[in-house]
Amino acid sequence: MRESTNHLVAIVKRFGAPAAIAGAFALGAVLFAGHGNVFASSGNGVAPLDEESTAALTSLDHAMEAVSSRVTPAVVNVAVTAKVDAKDGGNEQMQQIPPELRRFFGGMGGQQQGPQIEHGIGSGVIISSDGYIVTNNHVVDGATQVKVTLHDRRILTAKVIGVDKLTDLAVIKVDAKELPAIAWGDSSKLKPGQTVLAFGSPFGLSGTITRGIVSALDRPNPFADQDRRKPGGYIQTDAAINPGNSGGALVNAHGELVGINTAIVSESGSFAGAGFAIPVQMVRSVSEQLIAHGKIEHGYLGVNLNDITPENAQFFNISDASGALIAQVQPDSPASSGGLKQGDVVKEANGQTVDSGSAFQMAVSQMQPGQALKLNVVRDGKPLTLSLTVGAFKDKTEEAANEGGAAENKGRLGVSVGDLSDDVRQQFQIPARVKGAVVEDVRQGSPAEDAAIQPGDVIVEVNRKPVASASETLSQIHAVPDGKDVLLLVWSHGNASYRTVHPDAE
């Protein structure tokens, strides 16, 4: 995200300033003309509304002003200098700038090779009066120099204390005392519809405040397609978040920190009403460990997770559509050692209700290796209590929490499946331990496509029953009565997940 931020900030610096000046002049001319002509009359003008009529709005204004004045001093601008490899990033960056603007960026892309200097803008939040600041990892990633601009306009050099790529959080520190630190909130108490304010430096414009609501909670990680091990539980908000807001504060109506602004979902790369923030429960846990140890160890179980939904609950004999569904258990993992099995539904973890897979994943990721974990699960409709010991997440080496002839079946599901030959395994990099039928083709607009099934995926189970070949897979699918959904366990790119498919009629 820092790269897109850099591009947009650069464009604003070169073109935004003249446009802003022109806009200011135009606005000034309008005001000047209005002063001389349009609004010269005072006797017959429309009278303003009285205080009683606007009491609710002015009360809201006063509340927002109070929150803003309390929080703004604790939010900083973070300017980063980093080295990037031209052959890896420079040409790609140049392609993202419109052709008519590229002549203004002669230092980017082209035929240059080797490291180049890149400047980025982000935000940060002061979390202690002695200078500790939390921001996003992607803001300071690869930084050779970090400069922090405080609310009082002081510019201080910051040191990177520690980063956590898994959660995309980082802690930096400036040499200063008696700084205005933000108050910690409780993201677990947030409700959709609550007012929130986003603070930061969009496009490098420091001291910016936007207002919105909590649009949704417990959203999947927006970057999970890059690494499914990254924990979710994100806060979604319609408070405007733009490039440069990364690392800034999302606060509640009391001015308490409830999240760190991190991502936007937008085709244009700018505000489109869907911003995402890391919940403060995770932010506080990670930042405290980074300050204490300079690094962080995440809890690890070795499972892939799905949500229990109204569509798949019946297949697991669950009466309510809540819980974390165990889609896969890694061999020789803490989960397998503790007796957790594929198809189990986790309902409680250490006495806390588990509503979804992402909520369970976030809870485990915040636990320390060696901690005891008591799980209340439902297995084939029967309650069961399991006691596990949380392991240590090892980046790169472990898949943490979230890893013949063709036979036609295009009538009901819209897929062609085949046996797992050696050539197929090599082509799609399917491990020998994965059994089932490989998906060779998916019909456009079919139920299989709706369930996000793709060629190269492997159907491992049909309605909770393991399958070992294409013919066995088709036999199980055809055995499902008309009008009934089919639950498939699908292995895809190293991870297994349950997919509920609504078949076409025969």
Side-chain angles (χ1 to χ4, degrees), residues 34-364:
H35 179 72
N37 298 307
V38 180
F39 300 111
S41 173
S42 59
N44 297 324
V46 178
L49 294 171
D50 56 39
E51 287 295 330
E52 183 178 354
S53 301
T54 62
L57 286 176
T58 54
S59 177
L60 179 60
D61 285 345
H62 293 329
M64 294 299 100
E65 291 166 8
V67 173
S68 298
S69 63
R70 178 66 63 87
V71 174
T72 298
V75 180
V76 302
N77 175 283
V78 180
V80 175
T81 301
K83 287 184 178 181
V84 295
D85 194 328
K87 66 180 181 180
D88 293 334
N91 292 330
E92 179 181 350
Q93 294 173 17
M94 180 62 82
Q95 295 302 316
Q96 296 182 22
I97 298 176
E100 64 271 18
L101 301 182
R102 290 178 191 169
R103 62 189 179 91
F104 293 97
F105 297 86
M108 296 179 60
Q111 301 300 317
Q112 299 183 17
Q113 299 294 326
Q116 296 185 33
I117 298 300
E118 180 185 83
H119 299 282
I121 296 292
S123 306
V125 185
I126 301 172
I127 57 174
S128 70
S129 60
D130 56 348
Y132 286 100
I133 297 167
V134 66
T135 184
N136 283 132
N137 170 67
H138 74 256
V139 170
V140 299
D141 187 27
T144 57
Q145 184 184 70
V146 181
K147 293 285 188 180
V148 169
T149 302
L150 303 179
H151 180 62
D152 60 12
R153 300 184 182 178
R154 281 185 290 168
I155 300 177
L156 305 176
T157 299
K159 176 184 178 181
V160 177
I161 299 300
V163 301
D164 180 30
K165 293 186 177 182
L166 195 69
T167 58
D168 193 20
L169 290 169
V171 172
I172 60 179
K173 189 180 188 302
V174 295
D175 187 10
K177 303 294 183 183
E178 298 182 0
L179 295 180
I182 202 165
W184 292 107
D186 186 349
S187 53
S188 68
K189 295 181 179 179
L190 287 176
K191 302 292 183 184
Q194 286 184 344
T195 296
V196 287
L197 281 77
F199 292 75
S201 304
F203 308 110
L205 303 171
S206 60
T208 299
I209 309 163
T210 56
R211 189 177 76 188
I213 62 170
V214 175
S215 301
L217 297 167
D218 198 26
R219 287 301 197 200
N221 192 309
F223 305 109
D225 58 337
Q226 302 169 15
D227 187 346
R228 291 180 62 86
R229 299 169 296 183
K230 294 184 176 182
Y234 274 58
I235 302 164
Q236 181 185 336
T237 178
D238 67 345
I241 296 176
N242 283 297
N245 271 114
S246 289
L250 188 72
V251 307
N252 60 18
H254 298 284
E256 298 170 326
L257 184 69
V258 294
I260 292 296
N261 304 321
T262 297
I264 53 177
V265 174
S266 167
E267 292 184 358
S268 67
S270 296
F271 173 65
F276 294 87
I278 302 171
V280 76
Q281 307 306 99
M282 182 181 296
V283 174
R284 187 168 188 176
S285 172
V286 170
S287 60
E288 287 176 349
Q289 290 188 60
L290 290 177
I291 291 171
H293 309 292
K295 62 179 182 178
I296 183 170
E297 289 188 329
H298 290 283
Y300 165 78
L301 288 185
V303 294
N304 288 8
L305 299 168
N306 287 160
D307 293 338
I308 285 291
T309 67
E311 293 179 327
N312 64 27
Q314 59 176 316
F315 295 101
F316 301 95
N317 294 318
I318 299 294
S319 58
D320 60 322
S322 66
L325 173 59
I326 306 299
Q328 184 176 356
V329 178
Q330 300 290 340
D332 302 320
S333 65
S336 62
S337 299
L340 206 56
K341 293 185 177 181
Q342 187 178 74
D344 285 351
V345 179
V346 180
K347 304 293 286 185
E348 288 187 359
N350 283 348
Q352 299 296 314
T353 301
V354 173
D355 294 322
S356 65
S358 60
F360 181 53
Q361 183 188 19
M362 185 171 68
V364 172

Side-chain angles (χ1 to χ4, degrees), residues 6-17:
N6 296 336
H7 303 159
L8 292 168
V9 170
I11 292 172
V12 168
K13 283 183 178 178
R14 293 181 181 270
F15 302 102

Side-chain angles (χ1 to χ4, degrees), residues 55 63 102 110 114 170 182 232 257 269 385 459 486 499:
R102 290 178 191 169
I182 202 165
L257 184 69
T385 300
I459 298 176
V486 178
R499 317 280 181 90

